[in-house]
């Protein structure tokens, strides 16, 4: 499984859980505040994920288009920072059965 797909699935699960609890009348106001905060964090992480994945795809596409000797110097750095960013976003889900231990590298 690709790390981006993994992260999107986890964010969808987090959002669904928060929405379910927000609909529960027995949840306290403090609990509702937390769930609303979780929804905002899910949206924030989706936006960040989109930015990082766009940068990663741009670097990979540039690398593929260029020949080995013509690869711009910024590509390895871009691939490294995007990989580290995606790995960091996946860290809270390290106990999930679909989490791949290689994502722990470089976080």
């Amino acid at each position: 499984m690709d790390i981006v797909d993994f992260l999107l699935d986890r964010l969808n699960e987090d959002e669904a859980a928060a929405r379910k609890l927000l609909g529960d009348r027995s949840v306290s106001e403090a609990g509702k505040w937390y769930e609303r905060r979780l929804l905002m964090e899910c949206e924030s992480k989706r936006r960040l994920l989109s930015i990082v994945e766009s940068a990663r795809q741009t670097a990979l596409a540039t690398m593929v288009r260029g020949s080995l000797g013509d690869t711009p110097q910024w590509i390895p750095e871009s691939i490294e920072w995007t990989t580290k960013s995606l790995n960091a976003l996946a860290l809270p889900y390290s106990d999930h059965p679909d989490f791949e231990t290689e994502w722990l590298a470089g976080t």
Side-chain angles (χ1 to χ4, degrees):
M1 171 177 272
D2 180 70
I3 193 167
V4 173
D5 293 330
F6 173 82
L7 286 166
L8 288 172
D9 287 349
R10 300 301 71 78
L11 291 173
N12 289 337
E13 290 170 357
D14 288 349
E15 184 177 51
R19 289 192 187 285
K20 182 177 179 181
L21 287 172
L22 280 171
D24 184 342
R25 292 179 186 222
S26 67
V27 174
S28 69
E29 283 305 309
K32 288 181 180 183
W33 176 89
Y34 178 81
E35 298 309 324
R36 287 189 295 270
R37 174 74 180 247
L38 179 56
L39 290 174
M40 290 189 303
E41 286 193 27
C42 288
E43 179 58 27
S44 173
K45 288 177 183 178
R46 275 194 188 89
R47 290 179 187 190
L48 183 58
L49 184 57
S50 176
I51 292 166
V52 172
E53 179 60 359
S54 178
R56 180 175 78 151
Q57 291 302 319
T58 298
L60 291 171
T62 303
M63 187 174 69
V64 168
R65 277 194 312 266
S67 65
L68 197 55
D70 296 335
T71 302
Q73 189 135 13
W74 60 268
I75 290 177
E77 290 87 5
S78 293
I79 292 174
E80 180 181 7
W81 82 258
T82 57
T83 299
K84 285 183 175 183
S85 298
L86 292 170
N87 290 351
L89 286 170
L91 187 60
Y93 305 105
S94 61
D95 62 344
H96 192 277
D98 293 335
F99 184 88
E100 296 183 18
T101 56
E102 67 197 40
W103 297 337
L104 292 173
T107 55

